[in-house]
Amino acid sequence: MKKIKLLITSVFMLCALSLNAAEPESNMVKNEDGSFTVTRIDADKKAIKYGQKVDGFKDVTVIKGSAVTKQNPIAVSLDEVSNQEINIILSGDIKITGKDDVYDVIWMINDFEAGFPELDRRNVKTNEWTHFEGKVSVCIGQNKQLYLSKSGIPVDSLTFYLKNFNVKIETEGSLGPKVSWMEVPSLKKVYKDFFSFGLAVTYKGELNNGDIQDGLYRHADSITMGNEFKPDFLFAWQNPNAKITQFTDSTGKTIDVPALLPKFTDMDAILGIAKMNNLKIRGHVLTWHAQTPHWFFTEGYSSSKDAPLVDRETMNARHEWYIKSVLEHVQAWETKNKCKEHVVWAWDVVNEAALDGASDTRWLREDSDWYRVYKSEEFIVNAFRFANMYAPKDVVLVYNDYGTYSGSNQAKGGKHNAVLKIVDAILANPEARIDAVGMQSHMNMTSPKVTGDDSFETAVQHFVSRGLDVHVTEMDIGHALKYSPIKQKNRYNEFFTMFIKNRATPEKHGITNVTLWGLTDAGTWLDNQKEYKGNKQHPLLFEERELYAKPSYYGVMEAAEKAKAE
């Protein structure tokens, strides 16, 4: 297979010149990948000296404040990249000499419309070297500068020293080469030291396509079927056949059940493909209010909307029958095919049972047949009881929901608190087992917050404090009206940086799996969502044509590469 070496843009040190070298001729140079590297700062020639030896360091740039006539003591013109969406990545070390003091040093951009974005802000004590670094994404205007603000700093009485000063500017045209997913580095290999990497797929057109199988083997440890393991699919959208058999549940109650359902034809084919390609499967999903037929809850398995619902004891038995049927079928398949390890390594046992806009008194979704039968969380706890009875003990059992980070500051009410109430109810039952919370992660460019108060990270930490691991499930990032590859790259990078920070280790619980909700931007489910209707979304890591790696892919890879380098 052809191997492509990623171009790694070298970032030149600002003013890395010898004492006898001439002043650089240009403000910045364009690199082969389309990015830019700063080669000098803008300053009065009488104020600046390049390539000086200071404190045993070579190539230090010295700016004498009393000779500066420009507005700010240190500045870099951004004219070369005006009227573009850019990333500016800054790092270096600064020392200030003069009267002993501590100065608030701010590196920022003079772009009013962008809100004067700051790249770095920290206290700098005179006569000491202080490291700084920062990154910002901005749609830059004309006549803009990156500069050290002179606000609150008596420039005239100070001297500034810079070393290891690096400025790289990425444009949308420099975010990574057009390379097929079969030629870029493997996601699962890069992330193997952090957590397992997953991709969601459909059976027909994707998983049953040999070329797609090759790519899945390259990039994924685990797959999640978008639909094919859900009750509607295993019931094949059929009403119960006239042929009825009987099932006796664990309490001794005997009920009638459809003899010819569930149907496992597609499931068996999927298990076979996964095993052949050395892929694991997250089973999605056993218990859900959607894509579960109404007749499953009615007397006589009637499909009539007006049919009365069964009582709780009958529903308990039906629920146990279904979970037992599915889990035992998977185990029987694995035994027959001599799997040394489980193909299905985890199950979303219950999906989306928490109420949007929950309060302390109402936290369960009420628009479901499950709730109409029980009026409580009993069916959720039962699902984890039954899964614990019939699943192997090393198969991970998961509660999965969207909006799990909403209200994670734990103020009164909120979806996050609702999920915690559900988790606590499961944990309180000694016959139930829950191992992880699945945090569906259908996000956009502004919500949720990555870190800080009421953020995704806060939610992760609350679940971990319950003694549970976390699966990041169904991840994609929508962008509403305007698609900005550079902003999406940054957004993915920020989230994966946080995921790595909160990964599980042998000593502590944490994130053990991250699964993206789809392979390519083609046919993403977001295109049909109300908030995005009419605006094509590009929420994933690979383009729909040729499965080229997008900038977002490189953002994910850079998060891992940086973590490994630290």
Side-chain angles (χ1 to χ4, degrees):
M1 185 178 295
K2 184 179 179 183
K3 294 183 178 179
I4 300 295
K5 290 185 177 179
L6 290 178
L7 293 176
I8 303 175
T9 303
S10 60
V11 183
F12 299 101
M13 281 194 301
L14 177 69
C15 307
L17 305 174
S18 68
L19 284 170
N20 298 322
E23 179 183 350
E25 295 182 356
S26 62
N27 182 62
M28 63 179 71
V29 295
K30 190 171 185 179
N31 303 306
E32 290 184 11
D33 68 350
S35 66
F36 292 84
T37 300
V38 170
T39 57
R40 69 174 185 182
I41 61 173
D42 305 324
D44 302 319
K45 291 183 178 181
K46 292 182 179 180
I48 189 168
K49 289 183 179 180
Y50 300 103
Q52 303 298 294
K53 292 182 179 180
V54 178
D55 296 340
F57 300 107
K58 297 179 180 180
D59 300 326
V60 175
T61 300
V62 181
I63 302 100
K64 188 175 182 180
S66 59
V68 171
T69 60
K70 294 192 175 183
Q71 186 172 4
N72 293 291
I74 304 171
V76 174
S77 171
L78 301 176
D79 288 347
E80 193 78 23
V81 291
S82 61
N83 301 315
Q84 296 185 61
E85 190 84 43
I86 61 172
N87 278 337
I88 302 183
I89 304 150
L90 165 75
S91 65
D93 301 278
I94 189 170
K95 185 174 82 166
I96 300 174
T97 59
K99 181 181 178 182
D100 287 350
D101 207 338
V102 177
Y103 297 104
D104 183 22
V105 173
I106 308 170
W107 296 94
M108 61 193 303
I109 299 171
N110 64 332
D111 196 319
F112 173 79
E113 292 185 359
F116 291 96
E118 295 182 6
L119 284 85
D120 184 85
R121 181 173 190 156
R122 65 189 67 216
N123 290 330
V124 174
K125 187 177 181 180
T126 52
N127 302 308
E128 294 182 2
W129 285 103
T130 302
H131 182 71
F132 57 88
E133 61 181 37
K135 176 180 178 179
V136 71
S137 176
V138 61
C139 185
I140 202 75
Q142 290 183 314
N143 302 318
K144 304 305 177 186
Q145 291 181 329
L146 164 65
Y147 64 96
L148 186 152
S149 173
K150 70 174 184 180
S151 177
I153 299 177
V155 174
D156 291 348
S157 61
L158 303 175
T159 300
F160 301 84
Y161 303 82
L162 291 176
K163 66 181 178 71
N164 303 325
F165 190 92
N166 297 294
V167 179
K168 179 181 177 182
I169 300 175
E170 297 176 330
T171 65
E172 290 193 356
S174 69
L175 298 183
K178 287 277 190 180
V179 180
S180 164
W181 74 329
M182 292 303 298
E183 297 176 316
V184 292
S186 163
L187 287 161
K188 71 179 181 184
K189 288 183 179 179
V190 171
Y191 274 87
K192 67 182 179 64
D193 294 331
F194 303 127
F195 39 72
S196 62
F197 204 98
L199 294 168
V201 296
T202 60
Y203 172 41
K204 295 179 180 178
E206 290 187 345
L207 189 61
N208 66 349
N209 180 316
D211 291 337
I212 298 296
Q213 291 172 22
D214 290 343
L216 290 172
Y217 174 77
R218 183 175 185 80
H219 288 289
D221 299 289
S222 149
I223 58 174
T224 300
M225 303 312 300
N227 285 303
E228 288 81 1
F229 279 29
K230 294 173 180 175
D232 257 346
F233 282 72
L234 297 184
F235 284 138
W237 295 280
Q238 295 181 12
N239 290 334
N241 191 278
K243 186 175 181 181
I244 293 293
T245 189
Q246 290 190 319
F247 170 76
T248 300
D249 73 5
S250 54
T251 70
K253 183 178 180 61
T254 300
I255 61 169
D256 290 338
V257 294
L260 302 181
L261 297 177
K263 290 182 178 292
F264 296 111
T265 304
D266 284 352
M267 174 181 274
D268 289 351
I270 290 166
L271 291 169
I273 293 171
K275 180 178 182 292
M276 180 177 63
N277 288 279
N278 198 29
L279 294 166
K280 303 300 180 187
I281 296 175
R282 291 191 76 263
H284 178 73
V285 54
L286 293 173
T287 303
W288 192 25
H289 69 280
Q291 290 185 264
T292 302
H294 177 62
W295 56 254
F296 187 55
F297 302 89
T298 62
E299 292 185 4
Y301 297 109
S302 171
S303 294
S304 170
K305 292 182 179 180
D306 299 325
L309 302 175
V310 297
D311 58 45
R312 288 161 57 185
E313 289 73 21
T314 301
M315 197 65 234
N316 287 349
R318 289 186 183 182
H319 197 184
E320 182 177 343
W321 161 72
Y322 178 76
I323 289 178
K324 180 177 187 290
S325 298
V326 174
L327 295 184
E328 288 190 344
H329 179 85
V330 171
Q331 291 177 68
W333 189 96
E334 291 173 341
T335 300
K336 179 181 177 181
N337 289 277
K338 297 180 174 61
C339 296
K340 294 181 180 179
E341 298 177 357
H342 299 299
V343 176
V344 180
W345 70 280
W347 276 99
D348 290 330
V349 177
V350 178
N351 195 49
E352 299 177 358
L355 179 68
D356 294 346
S359 68
D360 278 349
T361 57
R362 293 175 64 232
W363 61 85
L364 296 176
R365 176 188 286 274
E366 298 174 2
D367 58 340
S368 81
D369 285 331
W370 286 111
Y371 185 83
R372 294 181 188 105
V373 171
Y374 288 91
K375 299 291 193 296
S376 74
E377 69 272 10
E378 180 182 349
F379 75 93
I380 304 172
V381 176
N382 283 344
F384 284 89
R385 287 179 50 239
F386 301 147
N388 190 34
M389 289 169 61
Y390 298 110
K393 298 308 177 186
D394 56 345
V395 168
V396 179
L397 305 183
V398 185
Y399 175 79
N400 190 53
D401 213 327
Y402 64 89
T404 52
Y405 37 74
S406 178
S408 61
N409 59 358
Q410 294 192 295
K412 186 175 182 179
K415 185 81 175 266
H416 178 72
N417 277 2
V419 174
L420 288 175
K421 286 179 180 290
I422 289 171
V423 167
D424 288 343
I426 300 165
L427 290 170
N429 190 300
E431 296 180 356
R433 172 167 66 91
I434 178 173
D435 303 302
V437 173
M439 298 180 66
Q440 290 185 28
S441 302
H442 301 296
M443 302 180 283
N444 58 43
M445 299 303 297
T446 58
S447 179
K449 290 170 58 181
V450 181
T451 60
D453 182 57
D454 199 11
S455 68
F456 195 109
E457 183 178 43
T458 306
V460 170
Q461 292 168 349
H462 289 164
F463 296 134
V464 167
S465 72
R466 287 331 199 247
L468 300 175
D469 286 325
V470 169
H471 293 182
V472 178
T473 64
E474 307 185 26
M475 183 178 182
D476 50 27
I477 300 180
H479 51 76
L481 297 178
K482 184 180 178 182
Y483 171 49
S484 169
I486 203 163
K487 287 183 178 179
Q488 188 185 67
K489 175 191 175 182
N490 295 342
R491 185 83 162 144
Y492 265 105
N493 182 272
E494 290 168 3
F495 270 104
F496 272 82
T497 298
M498 182 269 290
F499 296 160
I500 291 170
K501 174 186 172 186
N502 290 277
R503 66 190 182 275
T505 69
E507 294 76 32
K508 67 180 181 69
H509 290 284
I511 295 172
T512 59
N513 174 265
V514 177
T515 294
L516 301 183
W517 200 240
L519 302 182
T520 77
D521 293 338
T524 171
W525 78 292
L526 293 179
D527 288 342
N528 297 319
Q529 298 305 297
K530 184 177 180 180
E531 62 265 42
Y532 301 124
K533 200 74 172 178
N535 298 292
K536 172 63 184 169
Q537 297 297 292
H538 306 80
L540 296 166
L541 304 189
F542 300 104
E543 291 183 5
E544 48 203 87
R545 292 185 178 181
E546 307 298 330
L547 284 101
Y548 286 134
K550 294 168 50 186
S552 51
Y553 163 86
Y554 294 104
V556 170
M557 296 298 284
E558 287 171 11
E561 290 163 358
K562 182 178 180 181
K564 289 181 177 181
E566 291 177 346

